[in-house]
Each structure stands twice: as C-alpha cells, then as structure tokens.
C-alpha cells in the first residue's frame, strides 16, 4: 500500500490543535481501516519527511444521525473510522498542517 493511500486526511479540531501546540508534537490523522501503526509511521515519514517517535491507533465509533425531510424521518448511523495519533521526534514539525 502506498503512503498516500494510508493517510486519508488530518483531523483538525480544538483538541488536536492543543495537542499539536504542546511540548510533544502530536498530530492526528484519519487513516484507512486496514492499515496498521507501522504502515502509518512509514507513511508519515515518507509524506512529510519527519521522524516519528510513536503512533497510537484507535477506532472511532460512528454517531447516530436523524433526518426529517419530505420522505419522513430517517434513522441511521455514520460509519466507524480509524484515527492515528502520531508523536513526532523532538524538534520536528509538519509545516503543511501548522498553518491551518
């Protein structure tokens, strides 16, 4: 699997921004469900040219969604997705995400 296929998108929220600005640089990414932490670490290293110290992977459960429209109310869930929290080595940053 290629590196650009492993990482889907960065997760940008208030909580991830605070983790990114802390002393330990932690970046969160939405990744493919069938990828493992070693593939994710290699993909971050290859795509952004940084040294990865650690990687934690978790599955985020989908949320319930309700919709009321012309056809009546629809009940369903969003899909589950996998999130990776990558800790970089001291002194490394990912410039593509820092400006966002």
């Amino acid at each position: 699997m290629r590196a650009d296929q492993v990482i889907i998108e960065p997760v940008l929220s208030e909580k991830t921004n605070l983790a990114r600005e802390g002393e330990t640089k932690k970046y969160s990414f939405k990744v493919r469900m069938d990828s493992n932490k070693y593939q994710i670490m290699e993909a971050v290293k290859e795509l952004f040219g940084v040294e990865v110290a650690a990687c934690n992977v978790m599955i985020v459960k989908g949320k319930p969604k309700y919709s009321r429209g012309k056809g009546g109310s629809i009940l369903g869930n969003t899909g589950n997705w996998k999130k990776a929290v990558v800790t970089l080595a001291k002194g490394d940053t990912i410039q593509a995400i820092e400006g966002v």
Side-chain angles (χ1 to χ4, degrees), residues 17-72:
N17 287 341
L18 290 174
R20 194 176 68 216
E21 293 169 357
E23 188 174 315
T24 59
K25 298 288 186 177
K26 293 187 177 185
Y27 292 85
S28 298
F29 297 99
K30 183 176 182 180
V31 295
R32 285 178 54 139
M33 286 293 281
D34 60 344
S35 60
N36 60 35
K37 65 172 52 181
Y38 303 107
Q39 291 171 334
I40 295 166
M41 289 169 61
E42 283 298 316
V44 170
K45 185 176 180 180
E46 183 179 326
L47 289 174
F48 301 110
V50 294
E51 193 63 36
V52 178
C55 178
N56 296 325
V57 180
M58 63 203 78
I59 294 178
V60 179
K61 301 292 182 191
K63 296 180 181 178
K65 292 290 181 176
Y66 305 99
S67 175
R68 296 177 193 235
K70 285 185 174 181

Side-chain angles (χ1 to χ4, degrees), residues 65-93:
K65 292 290 181 176
Y66 305 99
S67 175
R68 296 177 193 235
K70 285 185 174 181
S73 59
I74 301 169
L75 175 64
N77 289 327
T78 60
N80 297 341
W81 55 284
K82 188 179 262 192
K83 178 168 77 169
V85 179
V86 178
T87 304
L88 299 184
K90 196 165 184 86
D92 281 343
T93 58

